[in-house]
Amino acid sequence: MEIGIDSFASAMYGDNNTLSSVDAMEQLLQRIEFADQVGLDVFGIGEHHKKEFLDSATAVILSAAAARTKNIRLASAVTVLSAADPVRVYQSFATLDLISKGRTEIVVGRGSAIEAYPLFGYDLRDYDALFKEKLELLLQIRDNEFVSWEGKFRPALNNLPVYPRALQEKLPIWLGVGGTPESFIRAGSLGLPLMVAVIGGQTHRFKPLVDLYREAGKAAGYKPNELKVGLHSPGYVGTTTEKAIEEYYPGYAELWTKLGYERGWPAVTKGKFDGLIDDLGVLIVGSPERAAEKILRHSEALGGVDRFTFQMDNAGLTHKQLMNAIELIGTKLIPLIKKG
């Protein structure tokens, strides 16, 4: 199993949230560089268009990281494809693939945060239709140097080439999903690797949806080893479980209570949080031993997970705390995962 981190390039951590955007970006690049040094497999950058995040130009951040790293794979997490031009998405990540010498991946999705749609002039009523059409075009571009294509939301392409071409013969494109059955089926039918974002509740409840993915892939003629499953979840690794909870809970509660106010969720309580960090809950918060045990349990519950990524940096944690967590993941958690 591959282990990594997904970041939203949050600029809201540090004492009293006084960190400048310049310093926040530099510290993010330091964390990616350090993750490479201590052996993490992948680092992903999300896409948001809000004041508190610095990840609106994902490929630019990853290109800067590519110049400072050697082995770690660099991915989007996720690219909001519905509000983007697939030609430009491919060109940006193909360029990143050349800079990184073949370490690039794209995770595409419709986006749970919807601010990109009005910003780029798209109608939310076309939420799914946009994604379906643009994914089709992106896959055609990836697989063909010259593209002929016609759709509803973008001008047609008539045997036009798209350059540059990625170094990897088949640039990896994952499908990022939440809890919609149709999304799991779509990924399986296309034979795309699946990245499941589980941000609440109990992870094992996603097993029927993952089964839909594998069944759809099998029906479409794909072999089991071609159908990868990734799991993205909030979490944090500390020297001890007690220390991890002490450091993580205040920022997590503040953030998710704020999000709840915006999206109609109840406020976070300590009791609810304790349920999320128990054996079956989604949050991976604890010592390396506790975190590894829980990741392996989640993998077994879902029928096997090929990749797990932590989302850590929007819970009020300092750069020092995040660096410590990365070191613990690389030096202690990953060896435990490999032992199984």
Side-chain angles (χ1 to χ4, degrees):
M1 186 192 306
E2 295 176 325
I3 302 293
I5 289 174
D6 290 332
S7 170
F8 296 163
S10 172
M12 292 187 65
Y13 66 91
D15 295 336
N16 301 315
N17 298 331
T18 57
L19 196 68
S20 73
S21 295
V22 170
D23 289 340
M25 187 65 76
E26 172 57 27
Q27 290 181 3
L28 171 62
L29 292 172
Q30 289 176 14
R31 293 197 295 275
I32 301 174
E33 187 175 8
F34 188 52
D36 180 50
Q37 292 170 359
V38 297
L40 273 68
D41 297 295
V42 60
F43 207 109
I45 300 292
E47 179 189 337
H48 298 82
H49 303 270
K50 296 181 177 181
K51 183 177 181 179
E52 60 265 35
F53 302 115
L54 301 174
D55 60 349
S56 64
T58 307
V60 177
I61 298 174
L62 293 174
S63 293
R68 299 168 64 150
T69 56
K70 295 180 180 179
N71 300 305
I72 197 166
R73 296 193 68 77
L74 302 168
S76 61
V78 303
T79 295
V80 185
L81 185 61
S82 302
D85 181 348
V87 174
R88 209 67 177 116
V89 169
Y90 179 82
Q91 290 175 324
S92 296
F93 283 91
T95 302
L96 171 60
D97 202 45
L98 297 176
I99 295 169
S100 67
K101 298 181 175 62
R103 293 185 282 128
T104 298
E105 301 184 6
I106 314 175
V107 183
V108 297
R110 296 178 296 181
S112 61
I114 59 175
E115 70 275 358
Y117 289 81
L119 185 62
F120 295 107
Y122 292 101
D123 193 329
L124 272 172
R125 290 175 293 185
D126 298 321
Y127 186 72
D128 191 62
L130 279 163
F131 183 73
K132 182 178 179 181
E133 179 176 296
K134 292 188 175 191
L135 178 61
E136 174 191 309
L137 176 54
L138 180 62
L139 293 174
Q140 282 201 35
I141 295 168
R142 180 195 60 179
D143 296 340
N144 301 279
E145 184 175 338
F146 286 79
V147 179
S148 293
W149 176 91
E150 186 174 349
K152 176 181 177 182
F153 301 104
R154 189 200 185 282
L157 297 172
N158 184 17
N159 197 36
L160 291 176
V162 179
Y163 299 121
R165 306 305 298 174
L167 177 62
Q168 296 175 84
E169 185 175 348
K170 198 161 188 173
L171 186 66
I173 297 176
W174 295 64
L175 193 59
V177 300
T180 307
E182 291 78 12
S183 296
F184 287 79
I185 294 169
R186 176 185 290 145
S189 298
L190 294 170
L192 297 177
L194 180 78
M195 179 56 71
V196 187
V198 184
I199 60 174
Q202 297 179 320
T203 303
H204 71 272
R205 293 183 177 178
F206 279 74
K207 177 63 159 57
L209 294 170
V210 174
D211 287 345
L212 282 177
Y213 164 70
R214 292 185 169 121
E215 290 163 6
K218 181 179 179 181
Y222 295 99
K223 298 176 182 178
N225 63 357
E226 295 179 286
L227 301 171
K228 288 185 176 182
V229 175
L231 185 61
H232 158 104
S233 179
Y236 177 62
V237 178
T239 51
T240 67
T241 295
E242 294 75 16
K243 188 70 172 174
I245 293 170
E246 176 188 334
E247 293 175 347
Y248 186 78
Y249 174 70
Y252 174 86
E254 179 182 351
L255 171 72
W256 288 90
T257 296
K258 179 184 176 183
L259 286 175
Y261 179 77
E262 295 173 356
R263 302 187 187 186
W265 304 334
V268 174
T269 64
K270 187 59 166 61
K272 182 178 179 181
F273 177 80
D274 288 343
L276 291 172
I277 63 171
D278 70 11
D279 288 349
L280 299 180
V282 61
L283 296 183
I284 309 289
V285 179
S287 66
E289 294 77 14
R290 169 66 174 166
E293 174 191 5
K294 197 166 178 182
I295 290 170
L296 292 171
R297 185 184 298 114
H298 285 343
S299 177
E300 182 178 0
L302 296 179
V305 168
D306 300 283
R307 174 178 291 179
F308 180 88
T309 56
F310 287 89
Q311 209 297 313
M312 295 193 302
D313 71 354
N314 60 349
L317 297 162
T318 66
H319 177 60
K320 182 178 180 181
Q321 289 170 327
L322 292 168
M323 290 285 274
N324 183 62
I326 290 169
E327 182 174 14
L328 291 171
I329 291 169
T331 61
K332 295 185 179 297
L333 186 146
I334 287 178
L336 291 170
I337 294 291
K338 288 180 177 178
K339 279 184 183 179

